[in-house]
Amino acid sequence: MFLNINKIVFLVFFLCGTAVSAQVDEKNIEEDKPIKSEGRKNDNLEQDDHYGIFEIGPYLPISIGKNFANEAQDQKIGIQAGIAINLFNTPALVGLRFTRFESDVTNREVLGNYKNSNVSTFGLVLGYHVLLEPKWRITSSVSVSSVTYNNQANDFEFVDSGTSLEFRTSVGYHFSKIFGIYAAPTYRLDFLDINAPAQTKDFLDSASYLSVSFGIRFVI
Amino acid sequence: MYLLGNTYHTMKIIYLTFLLCVFGIFGCTTEVLDNERILIEGRVVDVNGNGLENINVKAETAPFLLGEGITDTNGNFSFTSLKTNRNRIIISINLKNNQIETPLNSIVFEYRGLEIQRNYELGDIMLRDTSILDFKIEKTSTTENTLKWQLVFKSGSCERNFSDDNIPDQNLCYEENLFATQNNSERPDFEQQFLTLKNTEAIFTYSIDQGAEQTVIIPINEELTNYVFEY
């Protein structure tokens, strides 16, 4: 719980920092005119000459709820990368996303005798892209991924696997036409398929996270 | 013809060796299973039925420790264990590295040959007070004697083996142990510590130079009982 508060404080500072940085740089961008903005309407993506968005950056998972991830594991900062392309010249996007982070086991009595998990997801993304103005863009997306918890003890390894569902809104600020930064709060649900007694099945079978990812994005 | 037969024989040996290697490497490997958990629950009590706190409980399938728990203030424990591809699991209560160091005994439940269940409800498990019998034989006479002796005492350990159902088919709990040997001029003295149950008796029977058998009852009432026999 203490660690989660730390993560939330870190997140707030990061978002504030990003917003301030964006405002400071705004003037320079307008002077340099690196973004083609003439004739662009805020809601008209047909005039936006990009086909794909590539994002990569740190991923900060913040576990929530009554489940094993929140009550028996401690998540570390990981990485998220994704690529999405415009679907038939519409604001709709389709793509792939990869996420990976590590969790330390803090309560082995409820999870079993292993020390940490490398959690990774890889799956399909469906999204919608909105341009507020030339520099600010919002992308809302839903992704369905396969999720694996690669669990490690001192002398053995095993895997818990299932499906992950992610609802994500990415706010991007562009310094130039192709380069920008983003921050993306995410609500994530992992549904695992663990054979366990009824008393513990619900606790072990799902994990939920209110995560945030941030980093750099390239538009091509 | 002879050569063909010989080649066939050699091929057969190579094939069998290959099979043995494959089964040797992969067939006997213990692996922790993916997406599997079991739950182990119970209560640890003393001889009066009172819950015992801070008693460790472990689940193992050699060579892996799969789960571990500790009893609460009421003696209850409940912990999640991993599961292996072996139909064997050992649940040990109050098992320590050195059995001699604990005043309470340990109990081991071994399930083998059964499909591993999802939930092991072990019920009330009674631990008993153990005692160390520090047993010594010292030769004090100068004459050459042969001392034949035996010591019978209650074992402080308890092991229950299950192979078909939840009724133990082997209940090796607090068995009577017998230790017998002889001492003579080549090996005049003896000393060993035995783990036994507190509030029991050990029976020491001896004869010197094939004389009449004598019996000594040794009461075990303390955590450490010292007994020295001189001849």
Side-chain angles (χ1 to χ4, degrees):
Chain A
M1 191 64 188
F2 177 72
L3 288 169
N4 279 351
I5 291 166
N6 277 350
K7 286 177 188 172
I8 291 164
V9 170
F10 173 75
L11 170 63
V12 169
F13 273 95
F14 172 79
L15 290 175
C16 291
T18 305
V20 170
S21 167
Q23 285 171 5
V24 169
D25 291 341
E26 192 170 335
K27 190 179 173 186
N28 295 333
I29 291 166
E30 284 173 354
E31 286 171 357
D32 295 344
K33 292 187 178 176
I35 297 173
K36 188 179 81 177
S37 58
E38 286 178 12
R40 176 180 292 163
K41 292 177 183 175
N42 287 348
D43 58 352
N44 187 356
L45 271 174
E46 286 180 2
Q47 295 176 45
D48 192 8
D49 54 354
H50 74 256
Y51 302 99
I53 303 166
F54 174 72
E55 292 180 337
I56 187 166
Y59 178 82
L60 182 65
I62 302 165
S63 57
I64 54 170
K66 187 173 171 57
N67 54 65
F68 76 92
N70 194 32
E71 298 191 3
Q73 288 193 332
D74 178 26
Q75 290 77 29
K76 311 290 181 196
I77 290 180
I79 188 168
Q80 186 171 64
I83 187 161
I85 56 170
N86 285 100
L87 201 59
F88 309 120
N89 292 325
T90 68
L93 297 165
V94 63
L96 298 169
R97 187 177 296 147
F98 169 78
T99 307
R100 183 183 171 90
F101 65 89
E102 188 178 322
S103 287
D104 288 340
V105 174
T106 55
N107 187 344
R108 296 188 188 195
E109 275 196 47
V110 297
L111 285 188
N113 190 46
Y114 63 98
K115 59 180 183 179
N116 68 296
S117 302
N118 285 316
V119 187
S120 53
T121 62
F122 184 71
L124 187 70
V125 179
L126 291 174
Y128 192 85
H129 196 188
V130 179
L131 275 75
L132 298 175
E133 56 167 296
K135 291 178 289 294
W136 288 95
R137 301 166 188 209
I138 291 178
T139 309
S140 289
S141 62
V142 177
S143 71
V144 180
S145 311
S146 70
V147 59
T148 54
Y149 285 68
N150 288 293
N151 304 316
Q152 294 166 336
N154 288 331
D155 42 9
F156 60 81
E157 292 181 358
F158 67 102
V159 172
D160 292 323
S161 57
T163 305
S164 180
L165 192 61
E166 209 172 58
F167 302 92
R168 182 178 189 261
T169 298
S170 167
V171 179
Y173 179 83
H174 273 250
F175 300 107
S176 68
K177 190 175 76 178
I178 63 163
F179 178 68
I181 57 172
Y182 73 93
T186 306
Y187 179 60
R188 169 175 162 174
L189 287 162
D190 289 353
F191 301 99
L192 301 179
D193 187 23
I194 295 177
N195 294 315
Q199 299 97 309
T200 56
K201 190 163 176 60
D202 286 348
F203 182 78
L204 295 171
D205 254 2
S206 65
S208 47
Y209 303 91
L210 193 60
S211 309
V212 65
S213 57
F214 47 89
I216 55 174
R217 65 188 341 225
F218 298 93
V219 175
I220 52 175
Chain B
M1 196 65 186
Y2 170 75
L3 275 175
L4 275 176
N6 203 18
T7 307
Y8 172 73
H9 186 66
T10 308
M11 291 293 288
K12 206 162 103 176
I13 289 171
I14 291 170
Y15 177 66
L16 286 173
T17 308
F18 173 75
L19 281 181
L20 279 173
C21 289
V22 168
F23 281 106
I25 293 166
F26 299 108
C28 300
T29 308
T30 301
E31 289 174 4
V32 175
L33 295 177
D34 296 343
N35 292 319
E36 292 282 351
R37 298 289 192 287
I38 59 178
L39 183 67
I40 297 166
E41 299 172 293
R43 183 169 180 252
V44 181
V45 297
D46 63 14
V47 289
N48 299 314
N50 300 315
L52 291 167
E53 189 181 5
N54 287 330
I55 302 291
N56 72 66
V57 186
K58 295 178 181 178
E60 296 171 86
T61 298
F64 302 137
L65 175 63
L66 303 171
E68 199 170 6
I70 199 156
T71 57
D72 62 17
T73 50
N74 298 316
N76 294 309
F77 65 87
S78 173
F79 67 93
T80 299
S81 170
L82 308 174
K83 187 176 172 182
T84 69
N85 57 342
R86 301 271 165 209
N87 284 337
R88 183 181 185 209
I89 190 165
I90 294 173
I91 302 168
S92 53
I93 294 106
N94 199 35
L95 192 65
K96 299 193 177 176
N97 293 334
N98 181 3
Q99 187 62 263
I100 299 294
E101 73 191 25
T102 172
L104 288 165
N105 76 314
S106 62
I107 295 184
V108 175
F109 293 80
E110 181 175 358
Y111 298 84
R112 62 161 72 202
L114 294 166
E115 180 68 28
I116 297 300
Q117 302 165 31
R118 293 236 176 104
N119 191 2
Y120 287 87
E121 171 52 74
L122 302 180
D124 280 4
I125 301 154
M126 189 173 73
L127 296 188
R128 298 181 63 174
D129 289 319
T130 56
S131 175
I132 306 299
L133 171 59
D134 189 3
F135 185 79
K136 286 181 190 171
I137 288 177
E138 291 175 357
K139 182 169 171 54
T140 52
S141 76
T142 52
T143 57
E144 283 200 5
N145 301 114
T146 299
L147 173 72
K148 286 183 75 175
W149 60 271
Q150 68 174 39
L151 183 71
V152 178
F153 61 96
K154 286 267 189 191
S155 162
S157 66
C158 177
E159 189 175 324
R160 290 174 183 156
N161 299 310
F162 302 81
S163 61
D164 289 327
D165 47 34
N166 281 328
I167 300 164
D169 53 5
Q170 211 176 10
N171 199 358
L172 305 172
C173 285
Y174 318 120
E175 298 270 291
E176 283 212 329
N177 276 5
L178 186 146
F179 188 94
T181 187
Q182 66 177 26
N183 294 91
N184 50 34
S185 54
E186 287 178 7
R187 200 162 60 99
D189 298 329
F190 176 88
E191 182 176 2
Q192 189 165 322
Q193 290 188 332
F194 297 99
L195 180 71
T196 183
L197 285 181
K198 199 173 169 184
N199 301 321
T200 59
E201 291 173 337
I203 301 166
F204 173 55
T205 308
Y206 67 94
S207 70
I208 298 172
D209 296 334
Q210 297 187 334
E213 276 196 351
Q214 306 288 321
T215 298
V216 179
I217 306 291
I218 307 167
I220 312 289
N221 296 324
E222 305 296 328
E223 279 186 20
L224 176 65
T225 303
N226 291 297
Y227 181 80
V228 181
F229 177 76
E230 294 176 345
Y231 71 101

